[in-house]
Amino acid sequence: MEGSIELVPKENIQKLPETAPLSLVEKAWISGFLAGIMEYAEAGRPFPSIPKWAPISPVARQWAEEFIFNLLSFPQAELQKEEESSRANHSTIKIFFGSQTGNAEELAKRMGRKLQSVKFPVSVIDLADFKSVDLTKESYAIFFISTFGEGEPPDNAREFWEYLSSSEAPRLENLQYALLALGDSAYPDFCQAGKNVDKRLEELGAKRIYPRIDCDVDYEESASKWIDSVLEILPRSLQISDQSKQAFSVETKGEGQKVSVPLTSKKVSVPQPPFNKQNPFPSRVLENRRLTLMGSEKETRHLELSLEGSDLSYLPGDAVGVFPTNWPVLVQEIIETLGYTGEEIVPTPSGENVPLREALYRHYEINSILDDFPKKGIGALELVKNLRSLSPRYYSIACSPKLYEMEVHLTVVVVRYIQHGRWRRGICSNFLAEASPKVPIPIFIRSNPNFRIPSDPDAPMIMIGPGTGIAPFRAFLQERMAIGAKGKNWLFFGEQHRSTDFFYQEELEDFLKEGVLTRLDTAFSRDQSYKIYVQHRMLENAQDFWGWLQEGAYVYVCGDAHRMAKDVDAALHRICETAGGLSKEKAQEYVQNLRSSKRYLRDVY
Ligand SMILES: Cc1cc2nc3c(=O)[nH]c(=O)nc-3n(C[C@H](O)[C@H](O)[C@H](O)COP(=O)(O)OP(=O)(O)OC[C@H]3O[C@@H](n4cnc5c(N)ncnc54)[C@H](O)[C@@H]3O)c2cc1C
Ligand SMILES: Cc1cc2nc3c(=O)[nH]c(=O)nc-3n(C[C@H](O)[C@H](O)[C@H](O)COP(=O)(O)O)c2cc1C
């Protein structure tokens, strides 16, 4: 019984069952021995077998050896064997996620941890890796799928959807499944990708074991309830008993690697950071300056927020979630126009009772209230029933922790426009624009493992980031500079006017001088009589672009999803056709391969 091990927590190990065939002295001795083993394991040393001189009977010795064996999760090789056999009988519950910006992924992992904590064998799988699982042989699958673009699946689920919706998709009669769709009801195709997958699974003969839920932006509570309900109906027979020798694993595929965690290992209870979405960190504003110059039609700002004392950490590619409050002037206008006092007691989305003024300031989206209810007549309770809860907004982190460990930098364009004759202010971008060091900003970090610099420091990167899309690329370049990566870097940046909107110009020129940035191509759309955008610059340089792709370049796109990302995608296909000499179909295949090999990554919004 020698080997390097993972152990259950000390408090469990030392609790010997009442029924153990041991005298009091034997119990005391074995408990002490188990505590000792724990220390060996913690020090990473092989653990000893029960010594010959132990003051216990042969029966007690045999019992103790078996007990210890059952309690320990197996070393890696054993674990893999068990995992393979668990795969073979397909009793592991597969949790798949299709996620662009991390919400569905986070929910899938949360459900994975929950199932694991009640001893269900479970694997959490990125839908980009759906081919690693034969769905026809699976018994249970849970899907978490968000919707992107206009009713489309997120990038990591595109290939899965193509496969599932094709005429070649296999029958899935063995499969029992449940699906949670994530979306935003402000979009016309609400949760469409999830709805499509749900419908198609049913068509292919899979059995829905729990009704689909379509979650809106304030999905936390409904998603949690749904997860609990699905958990309730999963057959208990799948659970692994404590005394079983089986050691299953939760796999999560993120950051391009597979992590196997033994079920009974201490590693299972990943400590939650003290600050997160449920408990945001009150961050101090260190800097808040305008990037665009006088005369610009836009106001884009650079913010630096402190992480000092938060214990929060991040990687380039991650985003910050910000909880804004509403503009007090609008709160007052609503109260006056609709004839309230502001003191009426109303529930918040989480059920707490607060005065209306507080609810409108802190808890609900209020920008369209005066369009929807222009006159007095609606009671305060009725009003809040009609409102969506105020959700956090996300901003790409524009710096590298290698340079700014205790800070996050943001690049924020301030949303202001006129609609129905009224000036509108984007809630969060204006909240940030006006943020001062005196008022803390509630933030949390949202990890985005699908948007990372290549693990190979020599791999070339092509970054397409017009407007605020440049933010993560500032972080990428800082990171590559800090680690001394040798890979070539090519940035496409675009805005309206060179003279007023070329933000981070000096820094980018320094990157060029230092050789961190190999190429910088800019597109200033309104500096000439016709419009020039980043996709035009890509096409002008099609031959070089294709050459970089042949050298293994990673292509990153960040920024506007509505027009830019689509136009850039079309340009990429065009480059494959013109410079690469591929047919339309082959170009599509080529781009799909880039996507599935995670060399075409997008963070678009
Ligand atoms: C993963 C991710 C990363 C992001 N990164 C960044 C970033 O780095 N920098 C950044 O600035 N933003 C970023 N965003 C966008 C950001 O999260 C917010 O959506 C943005 O700041 C607007 O929020 P708001 O609260 O100011 O506006 P809201 O109050 O939410 O209002 C925005 C809404 O106003 C409407 N609207 C806006 N302009 C017009 C118009 N001209 N005419 C009519 N209607 C209009 C639209 O319906 C729009 O949805 C990111 C988003 C995501 C999902
Ligand atoms: C650019 C963009 C496009 C979106 N398109 C849709 C859509 O068509 N339908 C929908 O229901 N939700 C849409 N959403 C909302 C997302 O599905 C929602 O934010 C979801 O929580 C994201 O989950 P994820 O982080 O797992 O990708 C869109 C969001 C963005 C940023």
Side-chain angles (χ1 to χ4, degrees):
M1 251 174 85
E2 288 229 332
S4 151
I5 54 161
E6 304 281 357
L7 282 169
V8 291
K10 207 179 231 167
E11 55 280 12
N12 291 356
I13 266 189
Q14 286 164 331
K15 264 187 225 142
L16 301 181
E18 293 297 329
T19 51
L22 306 173
S23 69
L24 269 180
V25 174
E26 285 168 336
K27 262 191 185 165
W29 191 90
I30 291 169
S31 290
F33 179 73
L34 290 173
I37 283 185
M38 188 72 182
E39 273 162 31
Y40 271 80
E42 275 167 356
R45 289 156 58 195
F47 65 93
S49 46
I50 298 176
K52 284 203 177 73
W53 49 262
I56 54 175
S57 70
V59 174
R61 175 185 296 276
Q62 194 187 347
W63 179 90
E65 283 179 344
E66 266 179 31
F67 180 71
I68 293 167
F69 184 71
N70 284 336
L71 272 178
L72 306 179
S73 62
F74 299 160
Q76 204 55 34
E78 294 288 344
L79 181 69
Q80 265 161 18
K81 254 192 264 158
E82 289 297 335
E83 200 183 309
E84 274 156 24
S85 75
S86 92
R87 280 251 168 90
N89 66 28
H90 300 282
S91 55
T92 305
I93 298 161
K94 303 292 188 298
I95 303 183
F96 294 98
F97 61 85
S99 180
Q100 189 80 26
T101 55
N103 294 342
E105 179 172 355
E106 193 272 319
L107 287 176
K109 287 180 178 168
R110 194 190 304 171
M111 181 161 192
R113 284 197 296 270
K114 214 160 194 180
L115 284 182
Q116 188 190 42
S117 71
V118 287
K119 309 225 178 322
F120 279 104
V122 60
S123 298
V124 181
I125 300 164
D126 186 330
L127 267 178
D129 299 322
F130 78 96
K131 285 184 188 147
S132 65
V133 175
D134 181 354
L135 270 184
T136 60
K137 300 214 172 78
E138 292 301 329
S139 311
Y140 290 94
I142 318 286
F143 294 87
F144 290 83
I145 298 182
S146 71
T147 293
F148 253 72
E150 285 153 20
E152 290 152 34
D155 283 348
N156 76 326
R158 274 167 178 260
E159 205 182 349
F160 169 70
W161 174 239
E162 269 168 32
Y163 162 80
L164 199 73
S165 55
S166 74
S167 54
E168 273 113 66
R171 300 290 303 162
L172 296 173
E173 256 101 20
N174 282 338
L175 187 71
Q176 309 200 53
Y177 78 98
L179 187 145
L180 180 147
L182 268 180
D184 179 343
S185 58
Y187 288 88
D189 299 313
F190 178 49
C191 287
Q192 197 57 48
K195 288 176 185 169
N196 290 346
V197 172
D198 186 36
K199 183 159 171 271
R200 184 64 179 150
L201 286 170
E202 190 178 38
E203 281 168 10
L204 294 171
K207 185 163 166 268
R208 192 184 298 107
I209 52 169
Y210 196 75
R212 186 188 75 236
I213 183 172
D214 297 333
C215 292
D216 209 339
V217 283
D218 45 354
Y219 58 83
E220 278 296 339
E221 206 185 322
S222 50
S224 286
K225 278 195 192 139
W226 186 89
I227 288 173
D228 288 345
S229 307
V230 174
L231 197 152
E232 279 302 308
I233 57 163
L234 287 170
R236 304 289 117 178
S237 57
L238 291 177
Q239 282 164 305
I240 311 153
S241 83
D242 253 355
Q243 300 299 315
S244 161
K245 286 184 188 173
Q246 286 175 308
F248 291 94
S249 74
V250 160
E251 302 165 18
T252 57
K253 288 174 182 170
E255 315 280 21
Q257 67 188 34
K258 179 172 145 181
V259 189
S260 284
V261 185
L263 185 66
T264 49
S265 144
K266 287 197 295 174
K267 289 183 213 155
V268 167
S269 51
V270 182
Q272 292 299 307
F275 292 108
N276 51 33
K277 192 173 175 189
Q278 283 67 41
N279 177 32
F281 172 64
S283 168
R284 210 158 38 87
V285 179
L286 302 173
E287 191 168 330
N288 185 352
R289 69 183 151 89
R290 192 177 162 139
L291 290 168
T292 43
L293 303 180
M294 287 298 286
S296 171
E297 285 161 47
K298 293 186 185 178
E299 180 178 339
T300 304
R301 305 189 70 87
H302 176 81
L303 276 99
E304 299 185 357
L305 306 179
S306 172
L307 295 182
E308 199 78 50
S310 71
D311 261 2
L312 291 173
S313 61
Y314 64 95
L315 289 172
D318 288 345
V320 163
V322 177
F323 279 100
T325 45
N326 281 303
W327 193 30
V329 175
L330 181 60
V331 173
Q332 185 59 26
E333 194 183 342
I334 291 167
I335 288 173
E336 282 174 13
T337 310
L338 300 186
Y340 305 124
T341 63
E343 302 309 314
E344 297 83 352
I345 297 299
V346 293
T348 65
S350 59
E352 206 188 328
N353 285 330
V354 299
L356 177 66
R357 183 183 303 279
E358 164 82 6
L360 295 180
Y361 180 57
R362 217 176 276 286
H363 298 287
Y364 291 102
E365 301 270 344
I366 64 170
N367 272 7
S368 66
I369 290 184
L370 292 177
D371 297 326
D372 301 339
F373 308 100
K375 286 194 234 123
K376 288 182 189 160
I378 181 164
L381 278 174
E382 192 57 24
L383 176 76
V384 298
K385 261 197 222 154
N386 282 285
L387 303 179
R388 284 154 58 109
S389 64
L390 185 53
S391 45
R393 283 16 179 206
Y394 294 95
Y395 296 91
S396 312
I397 298 179
C399 60
S400 154
K402 298 262 177 348
L403 269 61
Y404 302 96
E405 195 189 351
M406 287 297 147
E407 295 175 18
V408 282
H409 298 180
L410 314 181
T411 314
V412 179
V413 64
V414 185
V415 175
R416 289 191 193 112
Y417 58 97
I418 294 177
Q419 197 177 45
H420 306 312
R422 290 167 59 92
W423 265 103
R424 314 284 165 147
R425 296 163 42 107
I427 296 170
C428 195
S429 53
N430 282 275
F431 167 76
L432 287 173
E434 288 156 19
S436 77
K438 288 191 201 128
V439 183
I441 310 286
I443 63 165
F444 58 97
I445 302 289
R446 186 160 82 179
S447 161
N448 188 356
N450 301 319
F451 204 70
R452 294 277 185 253
I453 59 169
S455 51
D456 174 3
D458 295 334
M461 296 200 299
I462 302 176
M463 295 161 280
I464 302 151
T468 53
I470 196 172
F473 302 139
R474 182 176 182 262
F476 281 16
L477 290 168
Q478 287 181 357
E479 179 83 3
R480 278 207 141 179
M481 183 180 70
I483 60 175
K486 296 279 180 296
K488 297 192 290 182
N489 300 308
W490 185 355
L491 176 68
F492 289 88
F493 174 71
E495 254 299 347
Q496 291 186 348
H497 300 286
R498 174 181 287 271
S499 57
T500 53
D501 306 320
F502 192 176
F503 35 88
Y504 301 126
Q505 179 176 5
E506 270 180 37
E507 288 184 28
L508 294 177
E509 284 168 355
D510 284 347
F511 279 136
L512 274 173
K513 266 188 233 139
E514 303 286 331
V516 178
L517 197 49
T518 319
R519 283 189 69 162
L520 171 62
D521 281 272
T522 52
F524 292 101
S525 58
R526 302 192 185 182
D527 275 355
Q528 55 285 306
S529 54
Y530 52 95
K531 295 277 170 66
I532 295 181
Y533 295 113
V534 280
Q535 65 269 21
H536 300 125
R537 295 293 185 224
M538 289 167 64
L539 291 169
E540 281 166 20
N541 294 286
Q543 211 62 49
D544 290 351
F545 202 110
W546 178 251
W548 279 54
L549 287 177
Q550 297 314 294
E551 290 170 37
Y554 285 60
V555 180
Y556 298 89
V557 184
C558 183
D560 171 56
H562 304 282
R563 299 268 311 265
M564 185 276 292
K566 286 184 194 138
D567 294 343
V568 163
D569 188 70
L572 179 59
H573 283 82
R574 191 94 195 98
I575 288 169
C576 298
E577 291 169 34
T578 54
L582 303 182
S583 66
K584 200 164 186 254
E585 291 69 35
K586 287 281 169 210
Q588 269 167 3
E589 216 174 278
Y590 186 89
V591 173
Q592 182 52 49
N593 280 340
L594 282 181
R595 205 177 268 126
S596 33
S597 56
K598 309 219 164 166
R599 278 179 50 211
Y600 177 27
L601 301 171
R602 305 192 305 168
D603 188 16
V604 294
Y605 43 85

